[in-house]
Every structure is written in structure tokens, then in C-alpha cells.
Amino acid sequence: QVQLVESGGGLVQPGKSLRLSCAASGFTFWRYAMSWYRQAPGKERELVATIANIGGSTNYADSVKGRFTISRDNAKSTVYLQMNSLKPEDTAVYYCNTRILGPDYWGQGTQVTVSS
């Protein structure tokens, strides 16, 4: 079955960096686009970044453009989110996502807290 397992979250000071990883299994990873979403307390889940299956084209939310970079390693079935210049408003649970033939699949999420 499809499994997405996030890691790399934690507590970090404003201005610092963090890299999230999402290890995928149970499907042919290279065939599908991958995304990162986040959900802050009391807010709806929002799309942060997406990377295409082949070619590596990417899209970002305006709030993270120039600070976050999504990438993937198809040999390792892993997608990454490099987060630089973190701000307190980036505090949220970050989720890995893919859509396979209709349904969305989600990881369990990893908490990122940006605070001094």
C-alpha cells in the first residue's frame, strides 16, 4: 500500500534552515508528482510546493518563493523540502502528498516550529 513517511521537523530559530524528507513506498514513485502541504493551528491546510514526476518543474506558494526549495531523488523514492530563512509564520505541521489515479495520499506529518 502507499506509504509516505515525513521526517526532519523540529524547533528552529527564525532565520535558520531545516530540511524535510518524505520517504515513499508502495507505488512507482517516478511516475507521480509530489507535493508538500502545511497546516497551522486554526488554519486550513495549504499547498506549499509541488514537483513534477519527470523534468523537475516546480511550483511554490507565494509565501515561500525564494526561501523554500522542493526536490526529489527518484532512485531513493524520496522528496525533500529545503526551508531557508524560516519565519515564525512558517510554523505548522508539514505533510507530504501525492495523487495517484484520483485519490490523495498523505503522510502523518512532521511538526515545524519557528521560534526564538
Side-chain angles (χ1 to χ4, degrees), residues 33-37 47-52 56-61 70:
M34 299 296 297
S35 298
W36 286 97
Y37 284 74
L47 177 63
V48 175
T50 297
I51 186 165
S57 64
T58 58
N59 284 290
Y60 297 93
I70 187 171

Side-chain angles (χ1 to χ4, degrees), residues 97-116:
N97 164 274
T98 191
R99 178 170 292 176
I100 301 173
L101 302 177
D104 278 302
Y105 293 89
W106 302 90
Q108 82 287 353
T110 186
Q111 176 71 47
V112 172
T113 303
V114 184
S115 175
S116 55

Side-chain angles (χ1 to χ4, degrees), residues 51-99:
I51 186 165
N53 55 338
I54 299 175
S57 64
T58 58
N59 284 290
Y60 297 93
D62 287 343
S63 58
V64 306
K65 278 182 183 176
R67 300 189 298 121
F68 289 13
T69 302
I70 187 171
S71 61
R72 64 190 297 160
D73 185 334
N74 288 337
K76 295 182 178 180
S77 296
T78 300
V79 61
Y80 304 97
L81 186 67
Q82 177 68 42
M83 305 185 294
N84 298 330
S85 302
L86 282 160
K87 303 176 181 180
E89 51 264 43
D90 295 318
T91 295
V93 178
Y94 284 72
Y95 297 92
C96 183
N97 164 274
T98 191
R99 178 170 292 176

Side-chain angles (χ1 to χ4, degrees), residues 1-5 22-29 76-78 100:
Q1 70 277 22
V2 174
Q3 281 196 317
L4 301 171
V5 180
C22 171
S25 61
F27 64 103
T28 307
F29 181 78
K76 295 182 178 180
S77 296
T78 300
I100 301 173

